PDB file of all heavy atoms in Angstrom:
ATOM      1  N   GLU A   1      98.098 113.585 131.693  1.00 94.00           N
ATOM      2  CA  GLU A   1      99.100 114.117 130.769  1.00 94.00           C
ATOM      3  C   GLU A   1     100.504 113.680 131.169  1.00 94.00           C
ATOM      4  O   GLU A   1     100.867 113.717 132.344  1.00 94.00           O
ATOM      5  CB  GLU A   1      99.008 115.639 130.734  1.00 94.00           C
ATOM      6  CG  GLU A   1      99.953 116.281 129.729  1.00 94.00           C
ATOM      7  CD  GLU A   1      99.774 117.782 129.636  1.00 94.00           C
ATOM      8  OE1 GLU A   1      98.621 118.229 129.452  1.00 94.00           O
ATOM      9  OE2 GLU A   1     100.784 118.501 129.777  1.00 94.00           O
ATOM     10  N   THR A   2     101.281 113.268 130.190  1.00 94.00           N
ATOM     11  CA  THR A   2     102.675 112.925 130.415  1.00 94.00           C
ATOM     12  C   THR A   2     103.559 113.760 129.496  1.00 94.00           C
ATOM     13  O   THR A   2     103.263 113.893 128.307  1.00 94.00           O
ATOM     14  CB  THR A   2     102.940 111.418 130.188  1.00 94.00           C
ATOM     15  OG1 THR A   2     104.359 111.189 130.210  1.00 94.00           O
ATOM     16  CG2 THR A   2     102.372 110.938 128.858  1.00 94.00           C
ATOM     17  N   PRO A   3     104.644 114.312 130.037  1.00 92.00           N
ATOM     18  CA  PRO A   3     105.539 115.126 129.219  1.00 92.00           C
ATOM     19  C   PRO A   3     106.586 114.297 128.477  1.00 92.00           C
ATOM     20  O   PRO A   3     107.382 114.846 127.723  1.00 92.00           O
ATOM     21  CB  PRO A   3     106.212 116.030 130.254  1.00 92.00           C
ATOM     22  CG  PRO A   3     106.291 115.159 131.481  1.00 92.00           C
ATOM     23  CD  PRO A   3     105.036 114.318 131.463  1.00 92.00           C
ATOM     24  N   ASP A   4     106.589 112.982 128.706  1.00 93.00           N
ATOM     25  CA  ASP A   4     107.648 112.143 128.132  1.00 93.00           C
ATOM     26  C   ASP A   4     107.566 112.094 126.613  1.00 93.00           C
ATOM     27  O   ASP A   4     106.489 112.222 126.020  1.00 93.00           O
ATOM     28  CB  ASP A   4     107.576 110.726 128.691  1.00 93.00           C
ATOM     29  CG  ASP A   4     108.072 110.662 130.131  1.00 93.00           C
ATOM     30  OD1 ASP A   4     109.013 111.401 130.453  1.00 93.00           O
ATOM     31  OD2 ASP A   4     107.520 109.876 130.915  1.00 93.00           O
ATOM     32  N   LYS A   5     108.704 111.874 126.009  1.00 92.00           N
ATOM     33  CA  LYS A   5     108.794 111.765 124.552  1.00 92.00           C
ATOM     34  C   LYS A   5     108.727 110.293 124.161  1.00 92.00           C
ATOM     35  O   LYS A   5     109.517 109.482 124.624  1.00 92.00           O
ATOM     36  CB  LYS A   5     110.099 112.392 124.040  1.00 92.00           C
ATOM     37  CG  LYS A   5     110.259 112.329 122.520  1.00 92.00           C
ATOM     38  CD  LYS A   5     111.496 113.074 122.074  1.00 92.00           C
ATOM     39  CE  LYS A   5     111.755 112.894 120.583  1.00 92.00           C
ATOM     40  NZ  LYS A   5     110.646 113.289 119.724  1.00 92.00           N
ATOM     41  N   TRP A   6     107.753 109.975 123.312  1.00 91.00           N
ATOM     42  CA  TRP A   6     107.627 108.622 122.774  1.00 91.00           C
ATOM     43  C   TRP A   6     108.728 108.362 121.760  1.00 91.00           C
ATOM     44  O   TRP A   6     109.187 109.265 121.071  1.00 91.00           O
ATOM     45  CB  TRP A   6     106.275 108.485 122.074  1.00 91.00           C
ATOM     46  CG  TRP A   6     106.184 107.289 121.159  1.00 91.00           C
ATOM     47  CD1 TRP A   6     105.751 106.038 121.468  1.00 91.00           C
ATOM     48  CD2 TRP A   6     106.551 107.231 119.771  1.00 91.00           C
ATOM     49  NE1 TRP A   6     105.825 105.213 120.381  1.00 91.00           N
ATOM     50  CE2 TRP A   6     106.318 105.917 119.323  1.00 91.00           C
ATOM     51  CE3 TRP A   6     107.057 108.169 118.868  1.00 91.00           C
ATOM     52  CZ2 TRP A   6     106.552 105.510 118.009  1.00 91.00           C
ATOM     53  CZ3 TRP A   6     107.320 107.768 117.566  1.00 91.00           C
ATOM     54  CH2 TRP A   6     107.068 106.456 117.150  1.00 91.00           C
ATOM     55  N   PHE A   7     109.146 107.104 121.692  1.00 88.00           N
ATOM     56  CA  PHE A   7     109.879 106.672 120.507  1.00 88.00           C
ATOM     57  C   PHE A   7     109.625 105.199 120.272  1.00 88.00           C
ATOM     58  O   PHE A   7     109.214 104.458 121.159  1.00 88.00           O
ATOM     59  CB  PHE A   7     111.385 106.994 120.572  1.00 88.00           C
ATOM     60  CG  PHE A   7     112.101 106.567 121.830  1.00 88.00           C
ATOM     61  CD1 PHE A   7     112.480 105.251 122.025  1.00 88.00           C
ATOM     62  CD2 PHE A   7     112.423 107.502 122.795  1.00 88.00           C
ATOM     63  CE1 PHE A   7     113.171 104.873 123.168  1.00 88.00           C
ATOM     64  CE2 PHE A   7     113.116 107.121 123.949  1.00 88.00           C
ATOM     65  CZ  PHE A   7     113.490 105.801 124.127  1.00 88.00           C
ATOM     66  N   GLY A   8     109.819 104.790 119.038  1.00 83.00           N
ATOM     67  CA  GLY A   8     109.581 103.405 118.661  1.00 83.00           C
ATOM     68  C   GLY A   8     110.147 103.155 117.279  1.00 83.00           C
ATOM     69  O   GLY A   8     110.545 104.085 116.572  1.00 83.00           O
ATOM     70  N   VAL A   9     110.163 101.879 116.902  1.00 78.00           N
ATOM     71  CA  VAL A   9     110.714 101.516 115.597  1.00 78.00           C
ATOM     72  C   VAL A   9     109.554 101.334 114.622  1.00 78.00           C
ATOM     73  O   VAL A   9     109.205 100.227 114.220  1.00 78.00           O
ATOM     74  CB  VAL A   9     111.592 100.247 115.687  1.00 78.00           C
ATOM     75  CG1 VAL A   9     112.317 100.007 114.358  1.00 78.00           C
ATOM     76  CG2 VAL A   9     112.615 100.379 116.808  1.00 78.00           C
ATOM     77  N   THR A  10     108.913 102.450 114.273  1.00 75.00           N
ATOM     78  CA  THR A  10     107.851 102.415 113.271  1.00 75.00           C
ATOM     79  C   THR A  10     108.451 102.108 111.898  1.00 75.00           C
ATOM     80  O   THR A  10     107.882 101.366 111.102  1.00 75.00           O
ATOM     81  CB  THR A  10     107.103 103.758 113.237  1.00 75.00           C
ATOM     82  OG1 THR A  10     106.607 104.048 114.547  1.00 75.00           O
ATOM     83  CG2 THR A  10     105.947 103.706 112.249  1.00 75.00           C
ATOM     84  N   TYR A  11     109.599 102.711 111.642  1.00 75.00           N
ATOM     85  CA  TYR A  11     110.316 102.502 110.384  1.00 75.00           C
ATOM     86  C   TYR A  11     111.717 101.980 110.700  1.00 75.00           C
ATOM     87  O   TYR A  11     112.268 102.256 111.774  1.00 75.00           O
ATOM     88  CB  TYR A  11     110.417 103.816 109.594  1.00 75.00           C
ATOM     89  CG  TYR A  11     109.070 104.382 109.216  1.00 75.00           C
ATOM     90  CD1 TYR A  11     108.440 105.321 110.030  1.00 75.00           C
ATOM     91  CD2 TYR A  11     108.412 103.949 108.074  1.00 75.00           C
ATOM     92  CE1 TYR A  11     107.193 105.826 109.716  1.00 75.00           C
ATOM     93  CE2 TYR A  11     107.168 104.447 107.741  1.00 75.00           C
ATOM     94  CZ  TYR A  11     106.563 105.388 108.564  1.00 75.00           C
ATOM     95  OH  TYR A  11     105.321 105.869 108.237  1.00 75.00           O
ATOM     96  N   LYS A  12     112.282 101.252 109.758  1.00 76.00           N
ATOM     97  CA  LYS A  12     113.613 100.686 109.958  1.00 76.00           C
ATOM     98  C   LYS A  12     114.615 101.773 110.324  1.00 76.00           C
ATOM     99  O   LYS A  12     115.509 101.580 111.160  1.00 76.00           O
ATOM    100  CB  LYS A  12     114.058  99.951 108.687  1.00 76.00           C
ATOM    101  CG  LYS A  12     115.378  99.212 108.815  1.00 76.00           C
ATOM    102  CD  LYS A  12     115.709  98.461 107.530  1.00 76.00           C
ATOM    103  CE  LYS A  12     117.029  97.713 107.658  1.00 76.00           C
ATOM    104  NZ  LYS A  12     117.367  96.990 106.397  1.00 76.00           N
ATOM    105  N   GLU A  13     114.433 102.949 109.725  1.00 81.00           N
ATOM    106  CA  GLU A  13     115.356 104.047 109.956  1.00 81.00           C
ATOM    107  C   GLU A  13     115.257 104.623 111.379  1.00 81.00           C
ATOM    108  O   GLU A  13     116.122 105.389 111.812  1.00 81.00           O
ATOM    109  CB  GLU A  13     115.110 105.172 108.943  1.00 81.00           C
ATOM    110  CG  GLU A  13     115.383 104.793 107.497  1.00 81.00           C
ATOM    111  CD  GLU A  13     114.228 104.031 106.844  1.00 81.00           C
ATOM    112  OE1 GLU A  13     113.179 103.837 107.511  1.00 81.00           O
ATOM    113  OE2 GLU A  13     114.365 103.637 105.677  1.00 81.00           O
ATOM    114  N   ASP A  14     114.176 104.276 112.101  1.00 83.00           N
ATOM    115  CA  ASP A  14     113.991 104.793 113.456  1.00 83.00           C
ATOM    116  C   ASP A  14     114.925 104.135 114.466  1.00 83.00           C
ATOM    117  O   ASP A  14     115.147 104.678 115.555  1.00 83.00           O
ATOM    118  CB  ASP A  14     112.550 104.554 113.931  1.00 83.00           C
ATOM    119  CG  ASP A  14     111.526 105.403 113.206  1.00 83.00           C
ATOM    120  OD1 ASP A  14     111.890 106.487 112.742  1.00 83.00           O
ATOM    121  OD2 ASP A  14     110.368 104.966 113.121  1.00 83.00           O
ATOM    122  N   LYS A  15     115.450 102.965 114.143  1.00 86.00           N
ATOM    123  CA  LYS A  15     116.165 102.181 115.155  1.00 86.00           C
ATOM    124  C   LYS A  15     117.323 102.948 115.775  1.00 86.00           C
ATOM    125  O   LYS A  15     117.491 102.956 117.005  1.00 86.00           O
ATOM    126  CB  LYS A  15     116.665 100.858 114.573  1.00 86.00           C
ATOM    127  CG  LYS A  15     117.406 100.030 115.626  1.00 86.00           C
ATOM    128  CD  LYS A  15     117.963  98.730 115.080  1.00 86.00           C
ATOM    129  CE  LYS A  15     118.796  98.021 116.148  1.00 86.00           C
ATOM    130  NZ  LYS A  15     119.368  96.750 115.677  1.00 86.00           N
ATOM    131  N   GLN A  16     118.150 103.607 114.971  1.00 89.00           N
ATOM    132  CA  GLN A  16     119.319 104.282 115.521  1.00 89.00           C
ATOM    133  C   GLN A  16     118.914 105.395 116.475  1.00 89.00           C
ATOM    134  O   GLN A  16     119.571 105.615 117.502  1.00 89.00           O
ATOM    135  CB  GLN A  16     120.205 104.836 114.401  1.00 89.00           C
ATOM    136  CG  GLN A  16     121.568 105.330 114.891  1.00 89.00           C
ATOM    137  CD  GLN A  16     122.347 104.263 115.627  1.00 89.00           C
ATOM    138  OE1 GLN A  16     122.506 103.136 115.145  1.00 89.00           O
ATOM    139  NE2 GLN A  16     122.836 104.604 116.821  1.00 89.00           N
ATOM    140  N   ALA A  17     117.831 106.093 116.153  1.00 89.00           N
ATOM    141  CA  ALA A  17     117.358 107.156 117.048  1.00 89.00           C
ATOM    142  C   ALA A  17     116.927 106.572 118.394  1.00 89.00           C
ATOM    143  O   ALA A  17     117.146 107.186 119.449  1.00 89.00           O
ATOM    144  CB  ALA A  17     116.201 107.910 116.399  1.00 89.00           C
ATOM    145  N   VAL A  18     116.302 105.385 118.375  1.00 91.00           N
ATOM    146  CA  VAL A  18     115.902 104.723 119.613  1.00 91.00           C
ATOM    147  C   VAL A  18     117.138 104.332 120.423  1.00 91.00           C
ATOM    148  O   VAL A  18     117.211 104.559 121.638  1.00 91.00           O
ATOM    149  CB  VAL A  18     115.031 103.485 119.320  1.00 91.00           C
ATOM    150  CG1 VAL A  18     114.748 102.698 120.597  1.00 91.00           C
ATOM    151  CG2 VAL A  18     113.721 103.903 118.660  1.00 91.00           C
ATOM    152  N   VAL A  19     118.107 103.737 119.759  1.00 93.00           N
ATOM    153  CA  VAL A  19     119.356 103.341 120.426  1.00 93.00           C
ATOM    154  C   VAL A  19     120.013 104.560 121.072  1.00 93.00           C
ATOM    155  O   VAL A  19     120.433 104.521 122.240  1.00 93.00           O
ATOM    156  CB  VAL A  19     120.326 102.677 119.423  1.00 93.00           C
ATOM    157  CG1 VAL A  19     121.703 102.472 120.054  1.00 93.00           C
ATOM    158  CG2 VAL A  19     119.759 101.341 118.937  1.00 93.00           C
ATOM    159  N   ASP A  20     120.100 105.657 120.330  1.00 94.00           N
ATOM    160  CA  ASP A  20     120.730 106.873 120.844  1.00 94.00           C
ATOM    161  C   ASP A  20     119.936 107.461 122.013  1.00 94.00           C
ATOM    162  O   ASP A  20     120.524 107.945 122.997  1.00 94.00           O
ATOM    163  CB  ASP A  20     120.867 107.914 119.734  1.00 94.00           C
ATOM    164  CG  ASP A  20     121.843 107.484 118.637  1.00 94.00           C
ATOM    165  OD1 ASP A  20     122.657 106.573 118.885  1.00 94.00           O
ATOM    166  OD2 ASP A  20     121.767 108.056 117.526  1.00 94.00           O
ATOM    167  N   SER A  21     118.614 107.432 121.926  1.00 93.00           N
ATOM    168  CA  SER A  21     117.768 107.981 122.993  1.00 93.00           C
ATOM    169  C   SER A  21     117.935 107.194 124.279  1.00 93.00           C
ATOM    170  O   SER A  21     118.052 107.771 125.375  1.00 93.00           O
ATOM    171  CB  SER A  21     116.301 107.978 122.564  1.00 93.00           C
ATOM    172  OG  SER A  21     116.080 108.831 121.465  1.00 93.00           O
ATOM    173  N   LEU A  22     117.963 105.875 124.170  1.00 94.00           N
ATOM    174  CA  LEU A  22     118.141 105.048 125.364  1.00 94.00           C
ATOM    175  C   LEU A  22     119.534 105.225 125.959  1.00 94.00           C
ATOM    176  O   LEU A  22     119.706 105.273 127.182  1.00 94.00           O
ATOM    177  CB  LEU A  22     117.879 103.579 125.028  1.00 94.00           C
ATOM    178  CG  LEU A  22     116.410 103.222 124.835  1.00 94.00           C
ATOM    179  CD1 LEU A  22     116.260 101.820 124.244  1.00 94.00           C
ATOM    180  CD2 LEU A  22     115.656 103.304 126.169  1.00 94.00           C
ATOM    181  N   LYS A  23     120.526 105.345 125.093  1.00 95.00           N
ATOM    182  CA  LYS A  23     121.897 105.570 125.574  1.00 95.00           C
ATOM    183  C   LYS A  23     121.967 106.869 126.387  1.00 95.00           C
ATOM    184  O   LYS A  23     122.614 106.927 127.446  1.00 95.00           O
ATOM    185  CB  LYS A  23     122.852 105.630 124.383  1.00 95.00           C
ATOM    186  CG  LYS A  23     124.332 105.632 124.765  1.00 95.00           C
ATOM    187  CD  LYS A  23     125.215 105.680 123.519  1.00 95.00           C
ATOM    188  CE  LYS A  23     125.069 104.424 122.682  1.00 95.00           C
ATOM    189  NZ  LYS A  23     126.002 104.422 121.513  1.00 95.00           N
ATOM    190  N   ALA A  24     121.260 107.897 125.896  1.00 95.00           N
ATOM    191  CA  ALA A  24     121.244 109.179 126.612  1.00 95.00           C
ATOM    192  C   ALA A  24     120.519 109.053 127.946  1.00 95.00           C
ATOM    193  O   ALA A  24     120.967 109.610 128.964  1.00 95.00           O
ATOM    194  CB  ALA A  24     120.577 110.248 125.744  1.00 95.00           C
TER     195      ALA A  24
END
């Protein structure tokens, strides 16, 4: 089990959330 939160660019609109998550 891993508690980490996945993210990816499944949809074009996901990109900004990925950028923001990595910045954090």
Side-chain angles (χ1 to χ4, degrees):
E1 184 176 309
T2 171
D4 286 324
K5 181 175 174 56
W6 164 91
F7 50 79
V9 188
T10 304
Y11 299 93
K12 185 177 180 181
E13 296 81 3
D14 290 333
K15 180 182 175 180
Q16 191 57 50
V18 173
V19 171
D20 294 342
S21 296
L22 286 169
K23 189 179 295 184

